[in-house]
Amino acid sequence: MLVLVCTYNELGNLPNLVQEIYATLPLADILVVDDGSPDGTGDWVVSQILESRNQLRLIQRGGKLGLGTAIKAGLLYAIEHRYDFVVNLDADFSHDPHVIPSLVEASIEENSDLTIGSRYVSGGGLKNCSWRRHFVSRAANVCARNLVGWKIRDCSSAYRCYRVAFLAKLPMDEITCAGYGFLEEILWAILKHSGKVIERPIVYTEREHGESKISAREAIGALKVLVQLARRGRIK
């Protein structure tokens, strides 16, 4: 399986995260998609690869091209290299890497095409988060349920386990959102193509090191994506 981590200025978090992922899943491959981090995040990954960390891979991009395009690059890599599952999580420890096995196991047991690490099902939640994070997250999901008609509780969670064989069937070239709205857009595509989506609880913890990448502009952009998806048709 492949673990996908998209980064921009995460040198303070990534080395520890990689160690935690290896401790949890010793046989997993880790793909870092780095957007030309000026703090040397990509350079650190290169140094690890040169030290024979053959389970570590890097896609180094020239600059900040958006979270959506970074995740998409990672998913396309997983398709090209024919992994069974790809798990995406944030680089800042807001997503507990020790939960990865349970997401994969749920995908296998429930035969799901997408398993979402959900903050809004029983057992999930947010920890040490600002009012802004609470508001943006809840507002995005309320909008998703009302605009697009989804019954899914956490449509905007980036902590996800995708079945790669199903991703390979999707028209990935039609999924074009560059920002956070990519998460809703690919969810819409999976549901449109009759993919099975389930949720499993996670506790999202606000980052301790570095700066949050989400902004008011990104939140507004994600809302616009939901409006566009609603115009394409309500899919439950």
Side-chain angles (χ1 to χ4, degrees):
M1 67 163 293
L2 181 68
V3 178
L4 171 61
V5 185
C6 301
T7 59
Y8 183 76
N9 285 349
E10 294 290 357
L11 188 59
N13 291 305
L14 188 61
N16 290 334
L17 178 65
V18 167
Q19 290 298 327
E20 289 295 326
I21 293 172
Y22 280 145
T24 304
L25 294 164
L27 300 180
D29 291 338
I30 302 174
L31 171 64
V32 177
V33 180
D34 183 65
D35 272 6
S37 297
D39 73 345
T41 301
D43 294 336
W44 178 84
V45 178
V46 171
S47 73
Q48 295 301 297
I49 294 173
L50 292 175
E51 291 180 11
S52 299
R53 298 298 291 270
N54 57 9
Q55 290 172 258
L56 196 57
R57 288 102 168 89
L58 173 68
I59 295 177
Q60 181 70 76
R61 309 200 303 173
K64 291 188 72 173
L65 302 177
L67 177 66
T69 64
I71 295 176
K72 182 176 179 179
L75 299 184
L76 291 173
Y77 181 96
I79 294 170
E80 179 184 356
H81 292 84
R82 299 183 179 181
Y83 287 92
D84 293 324
F85 295 98
V86 53
V87 175
N88 180 80
L89 76 163
D90 290 349
D92 58 7
F93 281 98
S94 56
H95 296 147
D96 181 357
H98 298 99
V99 176
I100 296 175
S102 67
L103 296 181
V104 177
E105 289 168 8
S107 298
I108 295 171
E109 292 173 359
E110 298 292 332
N111 195 32
S112 66
D113 300 301
L114 170 61
T115 300
I116 298 175
S118 177
R119 297 160 289 186
Y120 301 122
V121 296
S122 178
L126 295 92
K127 181 180 179 182
N128 298 332
C129 291
S130 65
W131 69 267
R132 178 183 176 185
R133 172 71 68 175
H134 277 274
F135 175 79
V136 170
S137 174
R138 290 190 178 277
N141 284 286
V142 168
C143 288
R145 289 193 293 275
N146 285 278
L147 287 174
V148 193
W150 290 330
K151 295 180 180 179
I152 297 163
R153 303 297 302 174
D154 198 344
C155 307
S156 60
S157 172
Y159 203 175
R160 297 179 172 186
C161 178
Y162 297 88
R163 186 179 296 274
V164 176
F166 187 85
L167 288 177
K169 301 176 183 178
L170 298 181
M172 296 294 285
D173 59 330
E174 297 178 9
I175 304 171
T176 59
C177 182
Y180 283 80
F182 174 88
L183 297 167
E184 282 86 4
E185 190 177 20
I186 194 169
L187 174 57
W188 187 90
I190 290 171
L191 291 171
K192 179 185 178 183
H193 288 82
S194 302
K196 182 177 181 180
V197 180
I198 64 173
E199 297 180 86
R200 290 295 180 269
I202 64 163
V203 175
Y204 179 97
T205 304
E206 190 67 271
R207 67 160 59 231
E208 293 183 2
H209 304 288
E211 296 181 358
S212 174
K213 305 300 188 297
I214 193 167
S215 64
R217 181 178 180 181
E218 286 281 8
I220 292 171
L223 178 59
K224 289 180 178 179
V225 169
L226 287 172
V227 172
Q228 293 168 0
L229 295 176
R231 288 172 178 169
R232 296 184 198 176
R234 294 167 68 90
I235 299 176
K236 297 184 180 181

